[in-house]
Structure formats: C-alpha cells, structure tokens
Amino acid sequence: MSATTFLSQFKQMNKKESQSIQFVDLPYQPDLAKQYFATIEQIPWAMLLKSSTLEHENNRFDILVADPVATVQTFGEQSKIHCDGAEDSSSDDPFTLINNLIAEKIGHIDIETSWPFLGGALGYFAYDLGRRVERIPETASHDIAAPDMAIGIYDWALMVDHQKKKAVIVALNQIQSSIGCRANKPKLSPRLSSRHHGNPT
C-alpha cells in the first residue's frame, strides 16, 4: 500500500477510546518534509514546521500535518469550531476549547519516544488573543481579517529527525498492516480527505 492510500485510510471514527499509536518509517532525506508539503500545500490546514538550516547546531525536527479532525478559529470573543462535519460557535475560553477537543479526539497517549509530536494541536496565536487573558489597550485598528487564533487538531503527522537521520509517519489507532512506503520520493494525494474544516486566512 502506498503512502497516498495510507493517509486516506487511517482515519478512525471513535477518538474517545484509549489510543494506540503506530509508526511507519520512511527513507530519510534532508528535504523529505518539503517534498511532501509541495504536494499538499493547497489543502486547507496543511502546515509545515521547518527546523533551522541543516548547518545550524539546533537543527533537528521537521513536522508536517494536514486534514485535521477538528479546527478552532477565534475572532474576538467568539470561536468557530469545525468538528465531524458540523460547525458551532462558542464564547468559552479558547484554550479550554482546544483542551476539550484534544481530550475528545486525541485522548491520552502514554508512550516514551523522541518524536516531538504524536497528535494534538498545531496552529498560531495572534497578539490580539491576549485580550482573552488580560486587559490590553485598543491602540491599533483591526485592518487584517485574520483570526486571533487558528488551531487544528491533528491525529497524524510526518516528521523528520535531521540529527538521527530518520523519518516517520505517526498516526493514532489502527493502520493497515500491509502499509509499505519504500519509494525514494513518496507523494501524497492532493485529496487526503473529502472533509474540510475551513481555511484560515
């Protein structure tokens, strides 16, 4: 089974049960994450966290994700939650919303590993999100229609460890036992899932 087929099939419906986590090793290449991302960057909520340059002493991990199981976008006092094909809004604390979604969709993962991300939240916090935590003077106009927070909840990731020269796809719950991913230049499908959660702008 190719990496393309794998990424379209490993999604699991019940995230409330205790989680098992599985790893699929990939052949290491310095630009592996960049190769993958080039094929899926147009997908909503695709993200690539790129480490420092290969020559930098702190260079280590690249992390690639896409097709989250849920998303949260916060605009001022309101947050939009996309989950299981439905959209809802809430004025609750956005950090509480994230924690609740992680508990529901990812659950507790009890495993020791050097890989830094085994599923959970990735995204960004804008400066204006601080207004949900403390009083901040309104000194600037809102001239950019971007969320104060945009977070995806991901149940899979592709990671590259440049220090150990390893690469892996990690996913929660079951993966087909026949998975094979030995191609030197693996490609991902531009349609990981028919499910979309809105694209942050």
Side-chain angles (χ1 to χ4, degrees):
M1 182 182 295
S2 67
T4 298
T5 306
F6 153 63
L7 287 174
S8 67
Q9 290 188 357
F10 76 82
K11 297 290 184 180
Q12 300 298 310
M13 296 301 295
N14 187 355
K15 297 296 179 182
K16 295 182 180 180
E17 298 177 356
S18 60
Q19 301 296 325
S20 62
I21 190 163
Q22 299 189 28
F23 300 84
V24 178
D25 293 329
L26 303 176
Y28 171 80
Q29 296 180 52
D31 62 346
L32 184 67
K34 185 177 179 180
Q35 290 181 39
Y36 269 107
F37 190 67
T39 70
I40 65 168
E41 60 184 338
Q42 78 281 4
I43 296 176
W45 296 88
M47 299 187 200
L48 172 59
L49 306 185
K50 193 79 171 65
S51 188
S52 305
T53 60
L54 293 177
E55 295 76 20
H56 196 282
E57 62 181 356
N58 294 327
N59 172 64
R60 186 162 186 184
F61 293 110
D62 297 339
I63 303 174
L64 181 153
V65 295
D67 192 33
V69 295
T71 64
V72 182
Q73 296 184 76
T74 299
F75 301 83
E77 296 295 321
Q78 290 292 316
S79 295
K80 295 180 180 179
I81 304 102
H82 293 260
C83 184
D84 296 331
E87 179 177 332
D88 197 3
S89 63
S90 175
S91 60
D92 291 347
D93 176 75
F95 302 104
T96 299
L97 295 175
I98 293 172
N99 286 335
N100 289 344
L101 283 170
I102 291 175
E104 177 185 352
K105 295 297 180 182
I106 304 299
H108 176 68
I109 300 172
D110 186 12
I111 185 173
E112 292 187 7
T113 178
S114 62
W115 294 109
F117 184 77
L118 302 180
L122 281 179
Y124 78 84
F125 302 143
Y127 288 112
D128 284 336
L129 186 66
R131 302 182 192 283
R132 298 299 300 269
V133 180
E134 61 182 350
R135 291 175 178 263
I136 300 176
E138 293 275 358
T139 59
S141 60
H142 293 276
D143 56 346
I144 301 176
D148 299 335
M149 182 187 80
I151 295 292
I153 308 299
Y154 297 90
D155 60 356
W156 75 275
L158 183 152
M159 290 176 286
V160 180
D161 184 338
H162 296 292
Q163 291 186 9
K164 293 185 176 180
K165 297 189 180 336
K166 293 182 177 181
V168 70
I169 292 176
V170 58
L172 300 179
N173 286 322
Q174 297 179 354
I175 301 176
Q176 297 290 338
S177 60
S178 59
I179 288 173
C181 194
R182 300 181 177 88
N184 290 329
K185 292 184 178 180
K187 296 181 180 180
L188 300 185
S189 169
R191 293 185 61 190
L192 294 181
S193 171
S194 60
R195 181 177 63 255
H196 294 295
H197 307 279
N199 198 8
T201 56

